Amino acid sequence: KAGVTQTPRYLIKTRGQQVTLSCSPISGHRSVSWYQQTPGQGLQFLFEYFSETQRNKGNFPGRFSGRQFSNSRSEMNVSTLELGDSALYLCASSLAASVEQFFGPGTRLTVL
Amino acid sequence: AQTVTQSQPEMSVQEAETVTLSCTYDTSESNYYLFWYKQPPSRQMILVIRQEAYKQQNATENRFSVNFQKAAKSFSLKISDSQLGDTAMYFCAFMYRDDKIIFGKGTRLHILP
């Protein structure tokens, strides 16, 4: 069974631009969670989608948004990029929120 | 609010030794999940071990075991017979029901040959 895939793996943007990251969960998994990882803040929860509905949300500004499609694939969008948005963005999928989450390799976003 | 604290930012041990990574957490809940995740230099995060708070027995997965002290809100990870492939960042994490996972800051573990 294929693992969680994330595209692109690396991305370079400039301040003010917007970016869309994609995550394809493991087949059959309906829950997708997004995390931001930075050296200073560690891993921080962004949001979680289950069956196309946002079920949980972390403490991030409205510039961070996401969605989930009927095939469980998820996208995350960041608008008006700031230098501080440079991070590794991890996606994780699970059959249900209370069991093991399987992580993707991440998308490394650099904002210049 | 739940918090997870890992007091050891970095550790180094010799191959084949046993190492214990510390984790404490704070919660007012009685039923929750605790996890240890490993993130090798390749960046793919993988689950090492999971503990349900209602289970008194400590979880074990091959060379990895935990010491779960619910009253003390402590959840340490012991790695026995450490191997070079154990070199990674280790994150302690907490989850309550279907809420978000809260991660500690991590412990960078180096296994030395």
Side-chain angles (χ1 to χ4, degrees), chain B residues 24-40:
Chain B
T24 57
Y25 59 95
D26 188 28
T27 183
S28 57
E29 305 298 338
S30 58
N31 292 318
Y32 46 86
Y33 296 88
L34 293 164
F35 309 89
W36 277 99
Y37 279 91
K38 170 185 177 181
Q39 188 179 40

Side-chain angles (χ1 to χ4, degrees), chain B residues 45-89:
Chain B
M45 187 95 73
I46 56 174
L47 178 68
V48 175
I49 202 164
R50 181 177 76 174
Q51 176 83 40
E52 289 90 342
Y54 67 87
K55 291 185 178 179
Q56 292 187 333
Q57 186 172 6
N58 289 324
T60 299
E61 286 289 340
N62 301 313
R63 298 182 295 107
F64 298 86
S65 61
V66 297
N67 183 4
F68 174 47
Q69 302 290 327
K70 192 173 184 179
K73 295 178 184 175
S74 171
F75 184 62
S76 61
L77 174 70
K78 185 173 85 171
I79 306 174
S80 303
D81 185 27
S82 57
Q83 301 173 358
L84 296 179
D86 295 333
T87 291
M89 194 77 163

Side-chain angles (χ1 to χ4, degrees), chain A residues 35 37 40-43 45 48 55-58 88 90 97-101 103-105 108, chain B residues 33 35 37 39 42-47 50 89 91 95 97-105:
Chain A
Y35 299 87
Q37 185 177 16
Q41 298 299 318
L43 274 155
F45 173 79
E48 184 235 349
R55 192 159 61 173
N56 285 301
K57 191 177 188 303
L88 180 69
L90 294 170
S98 295
V99 297
E100 179 180 355
Q101 292 194 358
F103 283 81
R108 169 73 64 188
Chain B
Y33 296 88
F35 309 89
Y37 279 91
Q39 188 179 40
S42 65
R43 294 290 185 180
Q44 193 96 24
M45 187 95 73
I46 56 174
L47 178 68
R50 181 177 76 174
M89 194 77 163
F91 293 95
M95 184 169 71
R97 290 186 181 175
D98 59 353
D99 205 346
K100 58 191 177 185
I101 292 183
I102 299 170
F103 287 88
K105 295 286 191 186

Side-chain angles (χ1 to χ4, degrees), chain A residues 20-65:
Chain A
T20 299
L21 311 182
S22 181
C23 172
S24 292
I26 292 172
S27 178
H29 286 193
R30 295 166 64 189
S31 172
V32 173
S33 297
W34 288 90
Y35 299 87
Q36 181 195 64
Q37 185 177 16
T38 58
Q41 298 299 318
L43 274 155
Q44 292 186 289
F45 173 79
L46 280 155
F47 28 66
E48 184 235 349
Y49 286 87
F50 185 83
S51 295
E52 302 179 65
T53 300
Q54 186 180 87
R55 192 159 61 173
N56 285 301
K57 191 177 188 303
N59 298 321
F60 277 82
R63 300 185 297 107
F64 291 81
S65 63

